[in-house]
Amino acid sequence: MSESMPSRRAVIAGGLTGGAALAAAGFAAPSYGVEYDPRRPGNRVRLTVLGTTDLHGNVYNWDYYKNQEFDNHNSTTKPVSDAIGLARAATLIKAMRKERRGEPILTLDAGDTIQGTPLAYYYAKIDPIDGDTVHPMARAMNLVGYDAAALGNHEFNYGLPILRTFEDQLDFPLLGANAVDPATKRPAFKPYLIKTFRVGRGRTLKVGVLGLTNPGIAIWDKANVEGKMEFPGLVEQAKKFVPEMKKKGCDLIVVSAHSGPNTSSSYGDALPYPENASSLVAAQVPHVDAILVGHAHLEVPQQFVRNERTGQQVLLCEPAYWGMRVALMDLIVQATWTKRGELKWVLVGSGSQVLNSNTVDPDAKVAAAVQDQHDTVVDYVNSPVGTSTEEMSAARAVVEDVPIIDFVNYVQADAVKAGLTGAAASLPVLSIAAPFNRQASFPSGEVTVRDVAGLYIYDNTLLGVQVSGADVRAYLEYSARYFKKVSGPGPFTMAQVTNAVTPTAPNGTPDYNFDSVAGLDAPLTYDIDIAADPGSRIKDLAYDGAPVTDDQQFVMAVNNYRQSGGGGFPAVSTATVVYNRQNEIRQLLIDWVLAHHTIDPAQFASVDWRLVSGTDPVTITS
């Protein structure tokens, strides 16, 4: 890669540093419900907790797949792009430390650190970290000076050896009170950290930090943890360790939890412990004062949950993801004395906010520390990973069954089939895919990581759900609403038949809401009659040449967006989940090319659906 490539310089360009950074990032004078003046604190002390979460391997404001700076703006709902990366978050963290120099400050992370970008993938799979190779996230986080980080579920994606090596490279502990040894039931990682701050007049403030990870790891990374580690519930483990921490003299207890704020589970009742349980910890575990929340990728500047036993209002804050925001949590304690004259700190006020990274420069030291590794990965992403036997394009994927979309369906279905167990393993596997990017293509010859990633532009993960034949038909009928109603076989332009206006899509149905469905071991074939009314368009639906019956059972590979209700497609959001390893689909496609070297449509492509008008094929010119 030449020195003129934008990645070498653009990643360290930005806006502000220093004192101006806080105001630009949205810092507001906090209100705690009690008086607190840092210049005249009296018998009160303010603990500041600075937090990040779900960094997912992002150090720079860089999109490796597009080979340009990250940009998520749009003209209607987001006129200004967010900025991502720990380098920018570090600027805010250091500015706040300077602003509150002399006061007690904790810096925490709530997990999902070593997975999510080519930078993270490269140092797990291509050049795995060891005694000589330090993980870029370890370099960056050590320079920031974290006190502790909770384990995220994605920490386990690359296996326990990589995770343990990463842990050894950190200058601070990875906490996981509910990642336990199967035999002893004791934590396999350090459960908590206790830090003592000197706060003047010979007084000390003892703060405990409890780390909790996600029970879903037992499902999502079963292949890496089964028989080696177990993951009980957050509430259950917090009830064990918070009293222990209080007995050791903790005046305040802060939880770093890789578990969302709204009680729910993507895995239903497959586990007895909910996936998103931070609010439950606040409500059901006495003596928790604040929770830094992760996992849900939500921006929650401030939320209070009343503890059911003590009545305390417990503070929760989640700072989005990828370093877009930094959590600023404040806990005000008042010095009191017992009848015996012993000092006791009482929490009298708290509050939180999030700081926006998109107005500040990256921290120069953090950016410089990882620059060589970043450049190596930029070269990797733009280097060949395999070859294609012929050119494949998504340009006509919205009107015909094309090989490049068949490739997505093939890889997805193959991955789901390989991971099925029990009765589901005997069912035929289908897969859904949408034409996310009409500009996507594989050239004939060398294919780069970026070529493959351009086909799948979203950060979706793969699931498998069990559906009936009736569900499959309903799903396809819903998808076929994408087409405008026409009369006759054409010829038509693509614009004349696609992106139909519907009550839920008044500006036209987007391409990403047109899913085709394909079979893995046998073809699923059907016609889409665009001369018919929506809801009555799917004709001659067959699997392996036989008509699909309503009660026939299938496993369908879907993405997490669909499974969570995205697009409003029927059946899949309520269907039984039979596969969920939290694998990113984009990375699965890249891994497949790396493993097989050659992309040959003869292996996976066939024309299984077509547009018709009545019984006549429809002609689409462009």
Side-chain angles (χ1 to χ4, degrees), residues 7-235:
S7 62
R8 292 192 185 273
R9 292 190 291 270
V11 292
I12 55 171
L16 298 169
T17 56
L22 294 177
F27 173 62
S31 174
Y32 310 117
V34 297
E35 289 186 10
Y36 177 77
D37 184 347
R39 296 166 299 180
R40 299 179 182 84
N43 284 325
R44 289 178 176 169
V45 170
R46 174 173 61 188
L47 171 71
T48 299
V49 180
L50 301 172
T52 55
T53 190
D54 295 272
L55 292 169
H56 283 286
N58 287 285
V59 176
Y60 300 109
N61 187 49
W62 193 253
D63 187 325
Y64 289 90
Y65 296 117
K66 294 181 179 177
N67 205 35
Q68 64 185 37
E69 283 207 359
F70 173 83
D71 185 356
N72 68 345
H73 91 282
N74 63 67
S75 58
T76 54
T77 61
K78 186 181 282 289
V80 178
S81 176
D82 289 306
I84 63 173
L86 181 55
R88 288 181 186 244
T91 298
L92 295 172
I93 290 169
K94 291 183 178 182
M96 186 53 66
R97 287 175 181 161
K98 183 177 180 180
E99 174 80 8
R100 297 184 175 181
R101 182 182 292 117
E103 298 184 50
I105 299 174
L106 276 173
T107 305
L108 306 176
D109 184 81
D112 274 5
T113 303
I114 61 170
Q115 176 277 341
T117 61
L119 182 69
Y121 176 82
Y122 188 90
Y123 290 100
K125 290 290 192 179
I126 307 302
D127 182 14
I129 54 174
D130 54 23
D132 297 320
T133 302
V134 177
H135 200 288
M137 294 305 294
R139 290 185 189 277
M141 295 180 84
N142 286 342
L143 282 172
V144 172
Y146 282 85
D147 293 290
L151 290 160
N153 56 287
H154 284 289
E155 261 66 87
F156 295 84
N157 286 176
Y158 299 124
L160 294 177
I162 287 288
L163 176 53
R164 289 300 190 186
T165 301
F166 175 69
E167 179 186 28
D168 289 343
Q169 293 177 346
L170 297 173
D171 295 338
F172 54 89
L174 287 179
L175 304 180
N178 61 327
V180 305
D181 181 273
T184 66
K185 308 303 180 185
R186 294 293 300 168
F189 294 83
K190 189 172 183 178
Y192 57 79
L193 167 75
I194 296 176
K195 187 165 184 175
T196 301
F197 295 95
R198 298 187 181 278
V199 293
R201 305 181 196 174
R203 301 173 301 180
T204 60
L205 179 69
K206 188 175 287 189
V207 181
V209 179
L210 178 68
L212 296 168
T213 191
N214 206 285
I217 296 164
I219 294 174
W220 303 324
D221 271 302
K222 182 178 180 180
N224 292 328
V225 301
E226 188 173 29
K228 303 172 185 175
M229 219 168 278
E230 294 176 349
F231 300 88
L234 283 82
V235 170

Side-chain angles (χ1 to χ4, degrees), residues 155-427:
E155 261 66 87
F156 295 84
N157 286 176
Y158 299 124
L160 294 177
I162 287 288
L163 176 53
R164 289 300 190 186
T165 301
F166 175 69
E167 179 186 28
D168 289 343
Q169 293 177 346
L170 297 173
D171 295 338
F172 54 89
L174 287 179
L175 304 180
N178 61 327
V180 305
D181 181 273
T184 66
K185 308 303 180 185
R186 294 293 300 168
F189 294 83
K190 189 172 183 178
Y192 57 79
L193 167 75
I194 296 176
K195 187 165 184 175
T196 301
F197 295 95
R198 298 187 181 278
V199 293
R201 305 181 196 174
R203 301 173 301 180
T204 60
L205 179 69
K206 188 175 287 189
V207 181
V209 179
L210 178 68
L212 296 168
T213 191
N214 206 285
I217 296 164
I219 294 174
W220 303 324
D221 271 302
K222 182 178 180 180
N224 292 328
V225 301
E226 188 173 29
K228 303 172 185 175
M229 219 168 278
E230 294 176 349
F231 300 88
L234 283 82
V235 170
E236 290 76 5
Q237 290 300 95
K239 284 182 175 179
K240 290 181 181 179
F241 286 103
V242 169
E244 182 177 312
M245 297 163 74
K246 294 298 287 186
K247 285 181 181 179
K248 291 185 176 181
C250 288
D251 301 299
L252 290 171
I253 290 181
V254 178
V255 175
S256 183
H258 194 76
S259 182
N262 304 314
T263 306
S264 61
S265 290
S266 66
Y267 45 74
D269 58 1
L271 293 173
Y273 314 113
E275 174 182 355
N276 297 303
S278 286
S279 293
L280 292 178
V281 172
Q284 297 179 12
V285 183
H287 308 304
V288 171
D289 298 296
I291 304 177
L292 175 66
V293 179
H295 183 63
H297 289 212
L298 297 175
E299 182 175 335
V300 182
Q302 178 177 280
Q303 178 180 342
F304 286 98
V305 175
R306 182 180 182 275
N307 186 270
E308 296 167 358
R309 181 171 163 187
T310 66
Q312 178 180 344
Q313 294 292 330
V314 181
L315 176 66
L316 277 68
C317 182
E318 183 170 9
Y321 56 98
W322 297 356
M324 291 179 184
R325 306 288 185 270
V326 172
L328 170 60
M329 308 173 76
D330 294 328
L331 302 173
I332 310 298
V333 292
Q334 170 86 40
T336 61
W337 284 266
T338 66
K339 292 180 180 179
R340 296 180 179 180
E342 298 170 338
L343 173 65
K344 180 180 180 181
W345 294 104
V346 177
L347 180 68
V348 294
S350 61
S352 63
Q353 57 187 292
V354 294
L355 307 178
N356 196 328
S357 298
N358 70 354
T359 56
V360 300
D361 276 334
D363 179 78
K365 290 183 178 179
V366 172
V370 186
Q371 187 70 51
D372 287 346
Q373 290 177 302
H374 165 79
D375 290 341
T376 295
V377 173
V378 170
D379 286 341
Y380 159 71
V381 169
N382 289 279
S383 65
V385 289
T387 60
S388 177
T389 59
E390 61 184 70
E391 183 179 0
M392 288 181 272
S393 170
R396 292 181 60 82
V398 293
V399 293
E400 64 186 50
D401 190 350
V402 295
I404 202 167
I405 301 298
D406 289 342
F407 172 67
V408 177
N409 274 325
Y410 177 77
V411 173
Q412 291 181 158
D414 189 53
V416 167
K417 181 179 179 180
L420 293 176
T421 58
S426 64
L427 297 177

